[in-house]
Amino acid sequence: VKDFEYAAAKTVDEAVALLASKGDRAKVLAGGTDILVQLRETNREADLVVDVKKIAELTRYEFSPTAGLRLGASVPCYKIYEDAALLQAYSALCDSARIIGGWQIQSRASIGGNLCNSSPAADSIPALIALDAKAHLAGPGGKRVVAVADFCTGPGKNVLQKGELLTALEFAAPQKGDGSHYLRFIPRDEMDIAVVGCGAWVRLDPSGKTIVAARIALGAVAPKPLFAAEASAFLAGKPATPETFAQAGELAKKIATPISDMRGPAEYRTHLVGVLTVRALTKAVERAGQGK
Ligand SMILES: Cc1cc2nc3c(=O)[nH]c(=O)nc-3n(C[C@H](O)[C@H](O)[C@H](O)COP(=O)(O)OP(=O)(O)OC[C@H]3O[C@@H](n4cnc5c(N)ncnc54)[C@H](O)[C@@H]3O)c2cc1C
């Protein structure tokens, strides 16, 4: 590892000032499960690493059934899926937090770090997009809010400007009839990078039989995680049946532009989009029916 300075910021303003002072040569450190590996493998260098885990606002979360969830950017994964209230309200988020690495990784890795690392195959991002999460950013120019669906711009790239950091992720309050699920396909049972990932969120009407609104998001089939807009819009007003889910899967396949690599050829990944969309919707609807 090339030597770098380390600074632990205590406030968001301090972190912003530290990051702005070094421009591209400063990196944020949350759980470190991506950035430390990258610095060691020297595909990235830094003069200054700014630890944001000592900033109270970033390491806590607040949830109320009426106000929704404000998730500090550095909250580790295990805290999310161990909370029964979050498990019920934001199941897809918990599904993704539970499969990011093993439990050692989950005890440090944050959803904020997963998002800011902006891997096309990152597990939390399709879940965040399906849940329509909003990213709160702070930087030298002030604060702004960006929909997670618009956050990533390419592999490892996102809308963060120099000196800017993610402070929190915001989720709307769940309503009766909501359900969500995230799943990925990997050739092993655990600890692998998604060949394809799919997040789905649905809102059912009081009968539990008709979809009022839905959001589908895909990972690992394009240079960045995708919101499947046409497939999502198609589902509104449709009966929650296997036929409907299969049609949504076909629409989702239309936006997939995957690469072929050692994990699988492009045609296989596109096929998987249809399969995973059906499975994600099926589980999301089942959870919506159970009030989960
Ligand atoms: C063994 C192993 C298994 C893994 N398995 C998976 C997996 O199954 N699925 C998966 O998706 N990922 C996996 N990962 C990757 C990694 O663990 C996740 O991406 C994790 O969520 C990153 O979070 P972190 O807090 O450790 O981020 P860090 O490594 O601290 O940061 C990641 C990136 O985000 C930036 N960053 C962090 N926080 C902020 C912020 N608040 N504002 C601005 N920028 C910020 C950092 O500068 C860095 O560029 C794995 C990694 C390892 C080592």
Side-chain angles (χ1 to χ4, degrees), residues 27-35 37-38 44 52 58 73 99-101 105 108-110 112-114 116-117 121-123 160 165-166 184 191-192:
K27 302 279 180 234
V28 175
L29 172 83
T33 61
D34 277 317
I35 190 71
V37 177
Q38 290 160 2
R44 262 186 217 187
V52 294
L58 266 67
I99 57 174
I100 292 177
I105 293 290
R108 296 196 61 81
S110 61
N114 195 241
C116 293
N117 192 56
D123 281 308
L160 284 174
L165 79 155
L166 174 75
R184 66 183 180 188
M191 293 282 278
D192 210 339

PDB file of all heavy atoms in Angstrom, residues 27-35 37-38 44 52 58 73 99-101 105 108-110 112-114 116-117 121-123 160 165-166 184 191-192, ligand 1:
ATOM      1  N   LYS A  27      -9.935  10.135  -0.243  1.00  0.00           N
ATOM      2  CA  LYS A  27     -10.969   9.092  -0.362  1.00  0.00           C
ATOM      3  C   LYS A  27     -11.689   8.950   0.975  1.00  0.00           C
ATOM      4  O   LYS A  27     -11.070   9.066   2.041  1.00  0.00           O
ATOM      5  CB  LYS A  27     -10.345   7.731  -0.701  1.00  0.00           C
ATOM      6  CG  LYS A  27      -9.526   7.719  -1.975  1.00  0.00           C
ATOM      7  CD  LYS A  27     -10.396   7.595  -3.207  1.00  0.00           C
ATOM      8  CE  LYS A  27      -9.548   7.583  -4.466  1.00  0.00           C
ATOM      9  NZ  LYS A  27      -9.930   8.572  -5.457  1.00  0.00           N
ATOM     10  N   VAL A  28     -12.976   8.637   0.877  1.00  0.00           N
ATOM     11  CA  VAL A  28     -13.769   8.376   2.079  1.00  0.00           C
ATOM     12  C   VAL A  28     -13.565   6.920   2.504  1.00  0.00           C
ATOM     13  O   VAL A  28     -13.484   6.027   1.659  1.00  0.00           O
ATOM     14  CB  VAL A  28     -15.265   8.634   1.797  1.00  0.00           C
ATOM     15  CG1 VAL A  28     -16.120   8.258   2.994  1.00  0.00           C
ATOM     16  CG2 VAL A  28     -15.500  10.094   1.410  1.00  0.00           C
ATOM     17  N   LEU A  29     -13.504   6.698   3.805  1.00  0.00           N
ATOM     18  CA  LEU A  29     -13.433   5.343   4.364  1.00  0.00           C
ATOM     19  C   LEU A  29     -14.663   5.127   5.248  1.00  0.00           C
ATOM     20  O   LEU A  29     -14.866   5.871   6.204  1.00  0.00           O
ATOM     21  CB  LEU A  29     -12.168   5.197   5.215  1.00  0.00           C
ATOM     22  CG  LEU A  29     -12.045   3.914   6.028  1.00  0.00           C
ATOM     23  CD1 LEU A  29     -11.502   2.779   5.177  1.00  0.00           C
ATOM     24  CD2 LEU A  29     -11.152   4.115   7.241  1.00  0.00           C
ATOM     25  N   ALA A  30     -15.460   4.119   4.900  1.00  0.00           N
ATOM     26  CA  ALA A  30     -16.571   3.729   5.790  1.00  0.00           C
ATOM     27  C   ALA A  30     -16.156   2.402   6.412  1.00  0.00           C
ATOM     28  O   ALA A  30     -15.270   2.362   7.262  1.00  0.00           O
ATOM     29  CB  ALA A  30     -17.870   3.659   5.011  1.00  0.00           C
ATOM     30  N   GLY A  31     -16.744   1.288   5.969  1.00  0.00           N
ATOM     31  CA  GLY A  31     -16.328  -0.013   6.507  1.00  0.00           C
ATOM     32  C   GLY A  31     -14.964  -0.441   5.996  1.00  0.00           C
ATOM     33  O   GLY A  31     -14.284  -1.276   6.606  1.00  0.00           O
ATOM     34  N   GLY A  32     -14.561   0.094   4.861  1.00  0.00           N
ATOM     35  CA  GLY A  32     -13.239  -0.199   4.299  1.00  0.00           C
ATOM     36  C   GLY A  32     -13.154  -1.494   3.511  1.00  0.00           C
ATOM     37  O   GLY A  32     -12.092  -1.849   3.006  1.00  0.00           O
ATOM     38  N   THR A  33     -14.281  -2.197   3.352  1.00  0.00           N
ATOM     39  CA  THR A  33     -14.204  -3.524   2.717  1.00  0.00           C
ATOM     40  C   THR A  33     -14.007  -3.448   1.199  1.00  0.00           C
ATOM     41  O   THR A  33     -13.635  -4.441   0.577  1.00  0.00           O
ATOM     42  CB  THR A  33     -15.463  -4.377   3.039  1.00  0.00           C
ATOM     43  OG1 THR A  33     -16.617  -3.712   2.520  1.00  0.00           O
ATOM     44  CG2 THR A  33     -15.621  -4.588   4.529  1.00  0.00           C
ATOM     45  N   ASP A  34     -14.255  -2.300   0.616  1.00  0.00           N
ATOM     46  CA  ASP A  34     -13.895  -2.064  -0.793  1.00  0.00           C
ATOM     47  C   ASP A  34     -12.635  -1.208  -0.883  1.00  0.00           C
ATOM     48  O   ASP A  34     -11.672  -1.579  -1.560  1.00  0.00           O
ATOM     49  CB  ASP A  34     -15.012  -1.308  -1.542  1.00  0.00           C
ATOM     50  CG  ASP A  34     -16.109  -2.213  -2.047  1.00  0.00           C
ATOM     51  OD1 ASP A  34     -15.784  -3.285  -2.585  1.00  0.00           O
ATOM     52  OD2 ASP A  34     -17.277  -1.848  -1.925  1.00  0.00           O
ATOM     53  N   ILE A  35     -12.637  -0.075  -0.187  1.00  0.00           N
ATOM     54  CA  ILE A  35     -11.578   0.918  -0.419  1.00  0.00           C
ATOM     55  C   ILE A  35     -10.203   0.403   0.027  1.00  0.00           C
ATOM     56  O   ILE A  35      -9.192   0.634  -0.651  1.00  0.00           O
ATOM     57  CB  ILE A  35     -11.919   2.280   0.255  1.00  0.00           C
ATOM     58  CG1 ILE A  35     -10.953   3.378  -0.194  1.00  0.00           C
ATOM     59  CG2 ILE A  35     -11.956   2.216   1.760  1.00  0.00           C
ATOM     60  CD1 ILE A  35     -11.121   3.829  -1.606  1.00  0.00           C
ATOM     61  N   VAL A  37      -9.157  -2.687   0.092  1.00  0.00           N
ATOM     62  CA  VAL A  37      -8.724  -3.677  -0.905  1.00  0.00           C
ATOM     63  C   VAL A  37      -8.196  -2.937  -2.144  1.00  0.00           C
ATOM     64  O   VAL A  37      -7.135  -3.266  -2.682  1.00  0.00           O
ATOM     65  CB  VAL A  37      -9.903  -4.602  -1.290  1.00  0.00           C
ATOM     66  CG1 VAL A  37      -9.491  -5.591  -2.371  1.00  0.00           C
ATOM     67  CG2 VAL A  37     -10.439  -5.338  -0.065  1.00  0.00           C
ATOM     68  N   GLN A  38      -8.932  -1.911  -2.556  1.00  0.00           N
ATOM     69  CA  GLN A  38      -8.523  -1.162  -3.760  1.00  0.00           C
ATOM     70  C   GLN A  38      -7.200  -0.426  -3.546  1.00  0.00           C
ATOM     71  O   GLN A  38      -6.354  -0.384  -4.430  1.00  0.00           O
ATOM     72  CB  GLN A  38      -9.625  -0.170  -4.155  1.00  0.00           C
ATOM     73  CG  GLN A  38     -10.872  -0.876  -4.689  1.00  0.00           C
ATOM     74  CD  GLN A  38     -12.113  -0.004  -4.635  1.00  0.00           C
ATOM     75  OE1 GLN A  38     -12.068   1.158  -4.237  1.00  0.00           O
ATOM     76  NE2 GLN A  38     -13.234  -0.579  -5.035  1.00  0.00           N
ATOM     77  N   ARG A  44      -6.076   2.090  -7.023  1.00  0.00           N
ATOM     78  CA  ARG A  44      -6.440   3.423  -6.570  1.00  0.00           C
ATOM     79  C   ARG A  44      -5.399   3.904  -5.596  1.00  0.00           C
ATOM     80  O   ARG A  44      -4.870   3.121  -4.810  1.00  0.00           O
ATOM     81  CB  ARG A  44      -7.774   3.395  -5.842  1.00  0.00           C
ATOM     82  CG  ARG A  44      -8.886   3.797  -6.755  1.00  0.00           C
ATOM     83  CD  ARG A  44     -10.168   3.918  -6.027  1.00  0.00           C
ATOM     84  NE  ARG A  44     -11.212   3.443  -6.915  1.00  0.00           N
ATOM     85  CZ  ARG A  44     -12.482   3.529  -6.643  1.00  0.00           C
ATOM     86  NH1 ARG A  44     -12.879   4.044  -5.521  1.00  0.00           N
ATOM     87  NH2 ARG A  44     -13.371   3.090  -7.491  1.00  0.00           N
ATOM     88  N   VAL A  52     -15.236   8.225   8.004  1.00  0.00           N
ATOM     89  CA  VAL A  52     -16.508   8.889   8.333  1.00  0.00           C
ATOM     90  C   VAL A  52     -17.318   8.089   9.366  1.00  0.00           C
ATOM     91  O   VAL A  52     -18.473   8.407   9.622  1.00  0.00           O
ATOM     92  CB  VAL A  52     -17.351   9.149   7.058  1.00  0.00           C
ATOM     93  CG1 VAL A  52     -16.663  10.160   6.161  1.00  0.00           C
ATOM     94  CG2 VAL A  52     -17.637   7.854   6.295  1.00  0.00           C
ATOM     95  N   LEU A  58     -23.836   9.788  10.656  1.00  0.00           N
ATOM     96  CA  LEU A  58     -23.685   8.782   9.594  1.00  0.00           C
ATOM     97  C   LEU A  58     -23.804   7.350  10.114  1.00  0.00           C
ATOM     98  O   LEU A  58     -23.997   6.416   9.331  1.00  0.00           O
ATOM     99  CB  LEU A  58     -22.331   8.946   8.875  1.00  0.00           C
ATOM    100  CG  LEU A  58     -22.367   9.820   7.602  1.00  0.00           C
ATOM    101  CD1 LEU A  58     -22.672  11.260   7.951  1.00  0.00           C
ATOM    102  CD2 LEU A  58     -21.076   9.710   6.831  1.00  0.00           C
ATOM    103  N   ALA A  73     -25.227   6.864   6.275  1.00  0.00           N
ATOM    104  CA  ALA A  73     -24.466   6.231   5.191  1.00  0.00           C
ATOM    105  C   ALA A  73     -23.526   5.132   5.682  1.00  0.00           C
ATOM    106  O   ALA A  73     -23.229   4.205   4.939  1.00  0.00           O
ATOM    107  CB  ALA A  73     -23.666   7.302   4.442  1.00  0.00           C
ATOM    108  N   ILE A  99     -26.710 -10.549   2.288  1.00  0.00           N
ATOM    109  CA  ILE A  99     -25.881 -11.374   1.383  1.00  0.00           C
ATOM    110  C   ILE A  99     -24.620 -10.657   0.910  1.00  0.00           C
ATOM    111  O   ILE A  99     -23.881 -11.177   0.078  1.00  0.00           O
ATOM    112  CB  ILE A  99     -26.688 -11.885   0.163  1.00  0.00           C
ATOM    113  CG1 ILE A  99     -27.306 -10.739  -0.615  1.00  0.00           C
ATOM    114  CG2 ILE A  99     -27.723 -12.904   0.585  1.00  0.00           C
ATOM    115  CD1 ILE A  99     -27.976 -11.192  -1.911  1.00  0.00           C
ATOM    116  N   ILE A 100     -24.363  -9.453   1.436  1.00  0.00           N
ATOM    117  CA  ILE A 100     -23.115  -8.761   1.069  1.00  0.00           C
ATOM    118  C   ILE A 100     -21.973  -9.424   1.862  1.00  0.00           C
ATOM    119  O   ILE A 100     -21.862  -9.230   3.074  1.00  0.00           O
ATOM    120  CB  ILE A 100     -23.214  -7.251   1.347  1.00  0.00           C
ATOM    121  CG1 ILE A 100     -24.220  -6.613   0.391  1.00  0.00           C
ATOM    122  CG2 ILE A 100     -21.844  -6.584   1.241  1.00  0.00           C
ATOM    123  CD1 ILE A 100     -24.474  -5.145   0.587  1.00  0.00           C
ATOM    124  N   GLY A 101     -21.179 -10.227   1.179  1.00  0.00           N
ATOM    125  CA  GLY A 101     -20.103 -10.956   1.856  1.00  0.00           C
ATOM    126  C   GLY A 101     -20.641 -11.896   2.922  1.00  0.00           C
ATOM    127  O   GLY A 101     -21.814 -12.260   2.907  1.00  0.00           O
ATOM    128  N   ILE A 105     -17.775  -9.457   6.915  1.00  0.00           N
ATOM    129  CA  ILE A 105     -17.906  -8.280   6.043  1.00  0.00           C
ATOM    130  C   ILE A 105     -19.115  -7.444   6.487  1.00  0.00           C
ATOM    131  O   ILE A 105     -19.037  -6.212   6.615  1.00  0.00           O
ATOM    132  CB  ILE A 105     -18.061  -8.727   4.564  1.00  0.00           C
ATOM    133  CG1 ILE A 105     -16.781  -9.391   4.049  1.00  0.00           C
ATOM    134  CG2 ILE A 105     -18.465  -7.551   3.662  1.00  0.00           C
ATOM    135  CD1 ILE A 105     -15.598  -8.479   3.854  1.00  0.00           C
ATOM    136  N   ARG A 108     -18.913  -4.726   9.146  1.00  0.00           N
ATOM    137  CA  ARG A 108     -18.249  -3.450   8.843  1.00  0.00           C
ATOM    138  C   ARG A 108     -18.872  -2.749   7.635  1.00  0.00           C
ATOM    139  O   ARG A 108     -19.019  -1.527   7.626  1.00  0.00           O
ATOM    140  CB  ARG A 108     -16.761  -3.683   8.520  1.00  0.00           C
ATOM    141  CG  ARG A 108     -15.950  -4.234   9.671  1.00  0.00           C
ATOM    142  CD  ARG A 108     -14.474  -4.057   9.412  1.00  0.00           C
ATOM    143  NE  ARG A 108     -14.093  -2.659   9.276  1.00  0.00           N
ATOM    144  CZ  ARG A 108     -13.876  -1.842  10.287  1.00  0.00           C
ATOM    145  NH1 ARG A 108     -14.016  -2.270  11.518  1.00  0.00           N
ATOM    146  NH2 ARG A 108     -13.528  -0.589  10.087  1.00  0.00           N
ATOM    147  N   ALA A 109     -19.194  -3.536   6.608  1.00  0.00           N
ATOM    148  CA  ALA A 109     -19.623  -2.947   5.331  1.00  0.00           C
ATOM    149  C   ALA A 109     -20.929  -2.178   5.485  1.00  0.00           C
ATOM    150  O   ALA A 109     -21.847  -2.626   6.165  1.00  0.00           O
ATOM    151  CB  ALA A 109     -19.812  -4.053   4.297  1.00  0.00           C
ATOM    152  N   SER A 110     -20.992  -1.029   4.829  1.00  0.00           N
ATOM    153  CA  SER A 110     -22.186  -0.188   4.899  1.00  0.00           C
ATOM    154  C   SER A 110     -22.928  -0.198   3.565  1.00  0.00           C
ATOM    155  O   SER A 110     -22.341  -0.476   2.513  1.00  0.00           O
ATOM    156  CB  SER A 110     -21.776   1.245   5.235  1.00  0.00           C
ATOM    157  OG  SER A 110     -20.921   1.748   4.220  1.00  0.00           O
ATOM    158  N   GLY A 112     -24.103   2.586   2.428  1.00  0.00           N
ATOM    159  CA  GLY A 112     -23.556   3.794   1.796  1.00  0.00           C
ATOM    160  C   GLY A 112     -22.306   3.482   0.997  1.00  0.00           C
ATOM    161  O   GLY A 112     -22.125   3.969  -0.129  1.00  0.00           O
ATOM    162  N   GLY A 113     -21.431   2.652   1.555  1.00  0.00           N
ATOM    163  CA  GLY A 113     -20.195   2.276   0.849  1.00  0.00           C
ATOM    164  C   GLY A 113     -20.503   1.442  -0.378  1.00  0.00           C
ATOM    165  O   GLY A 113     -19.876   1.591  -1.428  1.00  0.00           O
ATOM    166  N   ASN A 114     -21.480   0.559  -0.270  1.00  0.00           N
ATOM    167  CA  ASN A 114     -21.876  -0.277  -1.411  1.00  0.00           C
ATOM    168  C   ASN A 114     -22.382   0.612  -2.551  1.00  0.00           C
ATOM    169  O   ASN A 114     -22.023   0.404  -3.722  1.00  0.00           O
ATOM    170  CB  ASN A 114     -22.964  -1.253  -0.948  1.00  0.00           C
ATOM    171  CG  ASN A 114     -23.205  -2.412  -1.910  1.00  0.00           C
ATOM    172  OD1 ASN A 114     -24.293  -2.555  -2.431  1.00  0.00           O
ATOM    173  ND2 ASN A 114     -22.211  -3.238  -2.154  1.00  0.00           N
ATOM    174  N   CYS A 116     -21.732   3.971  -2.948  1.00  0.00           N
ATOM    175  CA  CYS A 116     -20.690   4.890  -3.449  1.00  0.00           C
ATOM    176  C   CYS A 116     -19.589   4.150  -4.212  1.00  0.00           C
ATOM    177  O   CYS A 116     -18.927   4.747  -5.059  1.00  0.00           O
ATOM    178  CB  CYS A 116     -20.085   5.697  -2.299  1.00  0.00           C
ATOM    179  SG  CYS A 116     -21.266   6.832  -1.567  1.00  0.00           S
ATOM    180  N   ASN A 117     -19.391   2.889  -3.928  1.00  0.00           N
ATOM    181  CA  ASN A 117     -18.436   2.106  -4.722  1.00  0.00           C
ATOM    182  C   ASN A 117     -18.966   1.899  -6.151  1.00  0.00           C
ATOM    183  O   ASN A 117     -18.202   1.703  -7.087  1.00  0.00           O
ATOM    184  CB  ASN A 117     -18.186   0.755  -4.042  1.00  0.00           C
ATOM    185  CG  ASN A 117     -17.020   0.011  -4.637  1.00  0.00           C
ATOM    186  OD1 ASN A 117     -15.897   0.536  -4.688  1.00  0.00           O
ATOM    187  ND2 ASN A 117     -17.255  -1.186  -5.139  1.00  0.00           N
ATOM    188  N   ALA A 121     -22.617  -4.577 -10.216  1.00  0.00           N
ATOM    189  CA  ALA A 121     -23.163  -5.802  -9.608  1.00  0.00           C
ATOM    190  C   ALA A 121     -23.418  -5.651  -8.111  1.00  0.00           C
ATOM    191  O   ALA A 121     -23.709  -6.640  -7.438  1.00  0.00           O
ATOM    192  CB  ALA A 121     -22.202  -6.967  -9.860  1.00  0.00           C
ATOM    193  N   ALA A 122     -23.309  -4.430  -7.574  1.00  0.00           N
ATOM    194  CA  ALA A 122     -23.509  -4.227  -6.130  1.00  0.00           C
ATOM    195  C   ALA A 122     -24.895  -4.721  -5.728  1.00  0.00           C
ATOM    196  O   ALA A 122     -25.885  -4.446  -6.413  1.00  0.00           O
ATOM    197  CB  ALA A 122     -23.375  -2.748  -5.801  1.00  0.00           C
ATOM    198  N   ASP A 123     -24.950  -5.427  -4.612  1.00  0.00           N
ATOM    199  CA  ASP A 123     -26.225  -6.046  -4.252  1.00  0.00           C
ATOM    200  C   ASP A 123     -27.258  -5.069  -3.704  1.00  0.00           C
ATOM    201  O   ASP A 123     -28.457  -5.269  -3.899  1.00  0.00           O
ATOM    202  CB  ASP A 123     -25.985  -7.165  -3.234  1.00  0.00           C
ATOM    203  CG  ASP A 123     -25.476  -8.430  -3.910  1.00  0.00           C
ATOM    204  OD1 ASP A 123     -26.120  -8.875  -4.876  1.00  0.00           O
ATOM    205  OD2 ASP A 123     -24.428  -8.957  -3.507  1.00  0.00           O
ATOM    206  N   LEU A 160     -21.287  11.901  -7.339  1.00  0.00           N
ATOM    207  CA  LEU A 160     -20.574  12.634  -6.283  1.00  0.00           C
ATOM    208  C   LEU A 160     -19.529  13.556  -6.903  1.00  0.00           C
ATOM    209  O   LEU A 160     -18.718  13.137  -7.724  1.00  0.00           O
ATOM    210  CB  LEU A 160     -19.868  11.654  -5.332  1.00  0.00           C
ATOM    211  CG  LEU A 160     -20.735  10.907  -4.319  1.00  0.00           C
ATOM    212  CD1 LEU A 160     -19.900   9.874  -3.563  1.00  0.00           C
ATOM    213  CD2 LEU A 160     -21.410  11.873  -3.351  1.00  0.00           C
ATOM    214  N   LEU A 165     -19.861  14.069  -0.024  1.00  0.00           N
ATOM    215  CA  LEU A 165     -20.046  12.725   0.519  1.00  0.00           C
ATOM    216  C   LEU A 165     -21.522  12.426   0.705  1.00  0.00           C
ATOM    217  O   LEU A 165     -22.351  13.339   0.746  1.00  0.00           O
ATOM    218  CB  LEU A 165     -19.264  12.523   1.816  1.00  0.00           C
ATOM    219  CG  LEU A 165     -19.794  13.067   3.124  1.00  0.00           C
ATOM    220  CD1 LEU A 165     -19.231  12.280   4.276  1.00  0.00           C
ATOM    221  CD2 LEU A 165     -19.418  14.525   3.268  1.00  0.00           C
ATOM    222  N   LEU A 166     -21.796  11.139   0.771  1.00  0.00           N
ATOM    223  CA  LEU A 166     -23.156  10.671   1.039  1.00  0.00           C
ATOM    224  C   LEU A 166     -23.349  10.708   2.546  1.00  0.00           C
ATOM    225  O   LEU A 166     -22.529  10.162   3.289  1.00  0.00           O
ATOM    226  CB  LEU A 166     -23.304   9.228   0.524  1.00  0.00           C
ATOM    227  CG  LEU A 166     -24.612   8.516   0.849  1.00  0.00           C
ATOM    228  CD1 LEU A 166     -25.737   9.041  -0.020  1.00  0.00           C
ATOM    229  CD2 LEU A 166     -24.458   7.006   0.623  1.00  0.00           C
ATOM    230  N   ARG A 184     -30.389 -12.481  -6.040  1.00  0.00           N
ATOM    231  CA  ARG A 184     -29.376 -12.496  -7.099  1.00  0.00           C
ATOM    232  C   ARG A 184     -29.173 -13.931  -7.521  1.00  0.00           C
ATOM    233  O   ARG A 184     -29.494 -14.862  -6.772  1.00  0.00           O
ATOM    234  CB  ARG A 184     -28.058 -11.911  -6.584  1.00  0.00           C
ATOM    235  CG  ARG A 184     -27.417 -12.774  -5.512  1.00  0.00           C
ATOM    236  CD  ARG A 184     -26.144 -12.165  -4.942  1.00  0.00           C
ATOM    237  NE  ARG A 184     -25.573 -13.038  -3.928  1.00  0.00           N
ATOM    238  CZ  ARG A 184     -24.554 -12.723  -3.150  1.00  0.00           C
ATOM    239  NH1 ARG A 184     -23.972 -11.541  -3.249  1.00  0.00           N
ATOM    240  NH2 ARG A 184     -24.096 -13.569  -2.251  1.00  0.00           N
ATOM    241  N   MET A 191     -21.288 -15.871  -0.906  1.00  0.00           N
ATOM    242  CA  MET A 191     -19.992 -15.226  -1.110  1.00  0.00           C
ATOM    243  C   MET A 191     -19.562 -15.201  -2.571  1.00  0.00           C
ATOM    244  O   MET A 191     -18.539 -15.769  -2.946  1.00  0.00           O
ATOM    245  CB  MET A 191     -18.908 -15.936  -0.290  1.00  0.00           C
ATOM    246  CG  MET A 191     -19.079 -15.802   1.194  1.00  0.00           C
ATOM    247  SD  MET A 191     -18.550 -14.217   1.804  1.00  0.00           S
ATOM    248  CE  MET A 191     -16.798 -14.485   1.922  1.00  0.00           C
ATOM    249  N   ASP A 192     -20.355 -14.595  -3.405  1.00  0.00           N
ATOM    250  CA  ASP A 192     -19.975 -14.461  -4.806  1.00  0.00           C
ATOM    251  C   ASP A 192     -20.559 -13.162  -5.344  1.00  0.00           C
ATOM    252  O   ASP A 192     -21.430 -12.553  -4.714  1.00  0.00           O
ATOM    253  CB  ASP A 192     -20.505 -15.671  -5.603  1.00  0.00           C
ATOM    254  CG  ASP A 192     -19.608 -15.995  -6.793  1.00  0.00           C
ATOM    255  OD1 ASP A 192     -18.860 -15.103  -7.221  1.00  0.00           O
ATOM    256  OD2 ASP A 192     -19.676 -17.123  -7.280  1.00  0.00           O
TER     257      ASP A 192
HETATM  258  C1  LIG B   1     -14.857 -10.807   0.868  1.00  0.00           C
HETATM  259  C2  LIG B   1     -15.751  -9.750   0.291  1.00  0.00           C
HETATM  260  C3  LIG B   1     -17.028 -10.105  -0.117  1.00  0.00           C
HETATM  261  C4  LIG B   1     -17.874  -9.143  -0.668  1.00  0.00           C
HETATM  262  N1  LIG B   1     -19.126  -9.532  -1.064  1.00  0.00           N
HETATM  263  C5  LIG B   1     -19.973  -8.620  -1.612  1.00  0.00           C
HETATM  264  C6  LIG B   1     -21.267  -9.023  -2.052  1.00  0.00           C
HETATM  265  O1  LIG B   1     -21.671 -10.182  -1.933  1.00  0.00           O
HETATM  266  N2  LIG B   1     -22.049  -8.080  -2.622  1.00  0.00           N
HETATM  267  C7  LIG B   1     -21.654  -6.785  -2.780  1.00  0.00           C
HETATM  268  O2  LIG B   1     -22.428  -5.973  -3.293  1.00  0.00           O
HETATM  269  N3  LIG B   1     -20.429  -6.379  -2.364  1.00  0.00           N
HETATM  270  C8  LIG B   1     -19.585  -7.256  -1.781  1.00  0.00           C
HETATM  271  N4  LIG B   1     -18.330  -6.865  -1.368  1.00  0.00           N
HETATM  272  C9  LIG B   1     -17.915  -5.483  -1.541  1.00  0.00           C
HETATM  273  C10 LIG B   1     -18.090  -4.581  -0.269  1.00  0.00           C
HETATM  274  O3  LIG B   1     -18.053  -5.332   0.911  1.00  0.00           O
HETATM  275  C11 LIG B   1     -19.392  -3.789  -0.316  1.00  0.00           C
HETATM  276  O4  LIG B   1     -19.443  -2.981  -1.484  1.00  0.00           O
HETATM  277  C12 LIG B   1     -19.607  -2.905   0.937  1.00  0.00           C
HETATM  278  O5  LIG B   1     -20.972  -2.593   1.074  1.00  0.00           O
HETATM  279  C13 LIG B   1     -18.802  -1.617   0.927  1.00  0.00           C
HETATM  280  O6  LIG B   1     -19.090  -0.892   2.104  1.00  0.00           O
HETATM  281  P1  LIG B   1     -17.928  -0.276   3.017  1.00  0.00           P
HETATM  282  O7  LIG B   1     -18.622   0.459   4.122  1.00  0.00           O
HETATM  283  O8  LIG B   1     -16.946  -1.293   3.427  1.00  0.00           O
HETATM  284  O9  LIG B   1     -17.295   0.753   1.975  1.00  0.00           O
HETATM  285  P2  LIG B   1     -15.795   1.332   1.858  1.00  0.00           P
HETATM  286  O10 LIG B   1     -14.870   0.301   1.375  1.00  0.00           O
HETATM  287  O11 LIG B   1     -15.428   2.071   3.097  1.00  0.00           O
HETATM  288  O12 LIG B   1     -16.070   2.404   0.696  1.00  0.00           O
HETATM  289  C14 LIG B   1     -16.461   1.972  -0.601  1.00  0.00           C
HETATM  290  C15 LIG B   1     -16.384   3.148  -1.570  1.00  0.00           C
HETATM  291  O13 LIG B   1     -17.360   4.115  -1.262  1.00  0.00           O
HETATM  292  C16 LIG B   1     -16.758   5.346  -0.867  1.00  0.00           C
HETATM  293  N5  LIG B   1     -17.549   5.807   0.269  1.00  0.00           N
HETATM  294  C17 LIG B   1     -17.864   5.093   1.383  1.00  0.00           C
HETATM  295  N6  LIG B   1     -18.715   5.810   2.162  1.00  0.00           N
HETATM  296  C18 LIG B   1     -18.908   6.988   1.520  1.00  0.00           C
HETATM  297  C19 LIG B   1     -19.693   8.143   1.820  1.00  0.00           C
HETATM  298  N7  LIG B   1     -20.412   8.243   2.940  1.00  0.00           N
HETATM  299  N8  LIG B   1     -19.679   9.177   0.941  1.00  0.00           N
HETATM  300  C20 LIG B   1     -18.932   9.096  -0.195  1.00  0.00           C
HETATM  301  N9  LIG B   1     -18.185   8.029  -0.529  1.00  0.00           N
HETATM  302  C21 LIG B   1     -18.181   6.999   0.323  1.00  0.00           C
HETATM  303  C22 LIG B   1     -15.311   5.019  -0.535  1.00  0.00           C
HETATM  304  O14 LIG B   1     -14.451   6.110  -0.740  1.00  0.00           O
HETATM  305  C23 LIG B   1     -15.036   3.897  -1.518  1.00  0.00           C
HETATM  306  O15 LIG B   1     -14.772   4.421  -2.795  1.00  0.00           O
HETATM  307  C24 LIG B   1     -17.453  -7.790  -0.802  1.00  0.00           C
HETATM  308  C25 LIG B   1     -16.171  -7.434  -0.367  1.00  0.00           C
HETATM  309  C26 LIG B   1     -15.336  -8.382   0.175  1.00  0.00           C
HETATM  310  C27 LIG B   1     -13.950  -7.977   0.634  1.00  0.00           C
END
